[in-house]
Amino acid sequence: MGPACAGSRKPEARQRRLLSPSAAVFGTMRGLGPGLTARRLLPLRFPPRPPGPRLASGQATGALERAMDELLRRAVPPTPAYELREKTPAPAEGQCADFVSFYGGLAETAERAELLGRLARGFGVDHGQVAEQSAGVLQLRQQQREAAVLLQAEDRLRYALVPRYRGLFHHISKLDGGVRFLVQLRADLLEAQALKLVEGPDVREMNGVLKGMLSEWFSSGFLNLERVTWHSPCEVLQKISEAEAVHPVKNWMDMKRRVGPYRRCYFFSHCSTPGEPLVVLHVALTGDISSNIQAIVKECPPSETEEKNRIAAAIFYSISLTQQGLQGVELGTFLIKRVVKELQREFPHLGVFSSLSPIPGFTKWLLGLLNSQVKDHGRNELFTDSECKEISEITGGPTNETLKLLLSSSEWVQSETLVRALQTPLMRLCAWYLYGEKHRGYALNPVANFHLQNGAVLWRINWMADVSLKGITGSCGLMANYRYFLEETGPNSTSYLGSKNIKASEQVLSLVAQFQKNSKL
């Protein structure tokens, strides 16, 4: 039986899509949340214009490059003189629409990357103007001119620092579907950078400018919080199932559990795309802080009717960004804060808030350590002598070499003896990975960094908390709880962002101390 929504029966094709959700994931979003990943859920609908040129294999690129240059000369508005900045009319809507149409006709990633690279390099800041205005500001400061003159000179400098392509983005945003187009354009830019199709400081600068504009357009004041239930429209339930990148939805009944009793599902939509999920948060309402995901996504609720006295904790167990173009925009942080307030209104007695988060990258990090020690003449600095002996007796081979092979697959969990032997060393190694491994002074793990930035406490590491194939291969089955003590999140966030201090529980700190005692990294 499907969801109770408009139309009692759904097309078979739609049912098949839900039974086999798309796996086209664009990659983990650094700093956005527990396994936060992006999917293309909002396909662009370009204006119905003739498609732009495409580059066939082996065809000379000259014609396409000339077409790109001509397009950019027409579409990117010149920067008016400072004195005329408020009197210059906006470019014709058709010029921006031509850019959108041309871009939509570029079928190849490399072609889109080439156009974006030309836009970044050729239509950025006029460095000569910046130098001239900077010199003027310095001269006025030396002359100690009155404040009004100096402020106007600084305003001229700010004006000169605005890249030309920002005007193009600004005018595109006013088109019907323009904001959606720019979200997709940034997703293409990020993909091109990841593939190294386009590189350099100009490209990074354009990405930063576009991210800043999207951050303004997608600020919390323009976002709508919506709850998903089994009575939500079929299209919304379908999109939510496809967006779930952390713990994939298997079928309709699985989806029904995730939006049913003792569960909550919320998403943010934007005024430019009403009803379209941008970021999705799944919450379990439980009696205590969950230590494994199986109890949340596989077990049925205790009853079909919620009993408030059974609910003592809210567990954020999945948060997924649906648009890679919004990577780095603080949607996840805003969503958690809004959902906490929503839950407090619904359950005034609710006081425990925690995540149950995956630990992406832990297995890869551990395999890297094992590999380096295997190459270094079998050096062992990860395990104690007694642990090495026990593991070798179970596996029948040298510890590092054998574990390197075993942890590359999920087969090792079939041995209960090996699972017990690895629990103590892997728990302390994981604690160090989350607490001690850093990137520019902050937590290396992106999920940890996200929650710590929000002011959460690294509260508990859980053994065999995710026994799915993804959980075993990605993090050796380990998961972490990041607990939100609401009165402390502000000071904790300030301490982490300012002084890079990680607030952790006694369990985590004890495991870190064991690592420092028994390992020699």
Side-chain angles (χ1 to χ4, degrees):
M1 181 178 178
C5 51
S8 59
R9 300 184 64 184
K10 291 144 295 299
E12 292 183 3
R14 183 176 294 167
Q15 292 190 26
R16 285 197 297 272
R17 287 202 306 274
L18 184 56
L19 291 171
S20 301
S22 170
V25 179
F26 274 81
T28 302
M29 301 290 98
R30 178 172 293 274
L32 281 172
L36 202 57
T37 58
R39 297 168 184 263
R40 292 181 183 264
L41 284 186
L42 303 179
L44 286 169
R45 297 177 179 86
F46 293 102
R49 294 175 177 239
R54 300 183 183 185
L55 186 63
S57 176
Q59 181 180 354
T61 62
L64 179 57
E65 291 174 348
R66 287 193 295 273
M68 288 182 178
D69 290 339
E70 177 61 27
L71 169 79
L72 294 175
R73 279 194 294 271
R74 291 197 321 269
V76 184
T79 302
Y82 178 80
E83 290 76 13
L84 302 176
R85 64 194 183 283
E86 296 177 355
K87 301 176 182 179
T88 303
E93 184 177 296
Q95 293 176 240
C96 299
D98 285 343
F99 179 89
V100 173
S101 178
F102 186 99
Y103 188 89
L106 298 176
E108 302 297 327
T109 302
E111 294 173 350
R112 296 192 295 271
E114 177 65 24
L115 179 60
L116 294 175
R118 287 173 178 268
L119 179 61
R121 292 188 297 270
F123 298 86
V125 168
D126 184 336
H127 299 296
Q129 275 292 316
V130 171
E132 181 180 334
Q133 299 301 331
S134 298
V137 171
L138 290 174
Q139 184 178 11
L140 290 172
R141 283 180 57 85
Q142 292 169 354
Q143 295 173 353
Q144 297 183 345
R145 298 292 296 272
E146 59 186 47
V149 176
L150 182 59
L151 289 173
Q152 186 180 52
E154 290 173 345
D155 191 51
R156 285 177 175 272
L157 175 58
R158 275 193 297 272
Y159 185 69
L161 285 168
V162 177
R164 280 183 62 184
Y165 51 69
R166 195 184 193 284
L168 173 65
F169 297 154
H170 174 72
H171 293 300
I172 287 176
S173 73
K174 298 179 181 180
L175 298 176
D176 184 25
V179 173
R180 176 184 293 191
F181 169 82
L182 292 172
V183 171
Q184 186 58 65
L185 183 142
R186 182 165 182 255
D188 292 340
L189 180 60
L190 291 171
E191 182 183 13
Q193 287 180 286
L195 295 172
K196 298 190 182 303
L197 295 174
V198 59
E199 299 179 276
D202 294 320
V203 173
R204 291 193 295 271
E205 175 68 13
M206 188 170 77
N207 176 49
V209 168
L210 192 50
K211 174 188 169 184
M213 297 177 78
L214 292 172
S215 296
E216 292 180 5
W217 297 331
F218 287 86
S219 63
S220 58
F222 298 107
L223 300 174
N224 301 314
L225 180 68
E226 302 187 39
R227 179 183 168 188
V228 183
T229 71
W230 191 236
H231 299 283
S232 296
C234 298
E235 291 77 10
V236 171
L237 288 166
Q238 181 68 47
K239 289 171 182 176
I240 294 298
S241 74
E242 292 174 348
E244 180 48 51
V246 186
H247 308 292
V249 177
K250 295 181 174 61
N251 49 43
W252 279 114
M253 292 309 297
D254 188 8
M255 188 68 206
K256 186 176 182 180
R257 282 196 297 270
R258 300 194 193 196
V259 297
Y262 298 98
R263 300 290 181 268
R264 294 292 185 272
C265 178
Y266 299 92
F267 69 85
F268 268 150
S269 64
H270 187 260
C271 55
S272 67
T273 54
E276 295 280 4
L278 299 176
V279 58
V280 183
L281 177 65
H282 288 269
V283 185
L285 302 175
T286 63
D288 54 15
I289 297 179
S290 304
S291 61
N292 70 85
I293 195 61
Q294 292 80 235
I296 291 177
V297 301
K298 291 186 177 181
E299 295 181 9
C300 293
S303 66
E304 285 296 320
T305 303
E306 288 181 352
E307 300 176 28
K308 291 193 174 183
N309 60 354
R310 287 178 174 265
I311 298 172
I315 310 301
F316 313 126
Y317 68 91
S318 174
I319 182 167
S320 296
L321 184 70
T322 68
Q323 298 296 304
Q324 184 168 356
L326 296 176
Q327 176 185 342
V329 179
E330 289 189 273
L331 298 178
T333 298
F334 293 149
L335 182 56
I336 286 179
K337 290 179 179 179
R338 289 275 291 274
V339 167
V340 166
K341 292 180 180 178
E342 189 73 16
L343 292 173
Q344 285 181 316
R345 279 195 291 267
E346 186 177 3
F347 304 100
H349 68 284
L350 191 60
V352 177
F353 298 90
S354 173
S355 79
L356 179 61
S357 303
I359 310 173
F362 172 61
T363 302
K364 182 179 179 181
W365 173 79
L366 181 56
L367 288 174
L369 292 180
L370 291 170
N371 186 55
S372 65
Q373 298 200 356
V374 166
K375 290 181 179 179
D376 195 6
H377 308 293
R379 177 169 57 97
N380 172 54
E381 294 183 347
L382 302 179
F383 307 97
T384 65
D385 292 341
S386 60
E387 288 168 349
C388 285
K389 181 180 179 181
E390 183 180 9
I391 294 170
S392 295
E393 288 176 352
I394 296 171
T395 61
T399 301
N400 289 346
E401 291 90 331
T402 307
L403 285 181
K404 181 185 170 185
L405 295 174
L406 288 172
L407 296 180
S408 297
S409 71
S410 61
E411 296 180 2
W412 62 275
V413 296
Q414 304 301 321
S415 169
E416 294 183 6
T417 307
L418 184 57
V419 169
R420 285 196 299 270
L422 289 177
Q423 179 173 357
T424 297
L426 292 192
M427 285 281 284
R428 70 169 182 264
L429 284 163
C430 185
W432 178 256
Y433 170 69
L434 294 175
Y435 184 87
E437 289 294 317
K438 304 293 178 64
H439 174 69
R440 297 178 180 174
Y442 300 106
L444 173 67
N445 182 266
V447 178
N449 187 56
F450 169 78
H451 287 293
L452 293 169
Q453 283 185 3
N454 291 344
V457 174
L458 177 51
W459 193 67
R460 188 172 67 192
I461 299 173
N462 305 291
W463 179 245
M464 288 293 107
D466 184 357
V467 295
S468 68
L469 177 62
K470 184 177 181 180
I472 296 298
T473 55
S475 58
C476 298
L478 290 154
M479 299 187 78
N481 297 117
Y482 299 90
R483 187 165 176 183
Y484 285 78
F485 295 93
L486 300 183
E487 295 181 356
E488 300 176 13
T489 54
N492 289 348
S493 176
T494 300
S495 178
Y496 178 69
L497 293 172
S499 304
K500 303 176 181 177
N501 295 325
I502 293 178
K503 189 75 174 291
S505 68
E506 291 184 5
Q507 184 236 26
V508 174
L509 294 176
S510 175
L511 289 169
V512 169
Q514 292 175 36
F515 172 87
Q516 293 172 325
K517 177 182 178 182
N518 295 308
S519 302
K520 306 179 183 63
L521 293 182

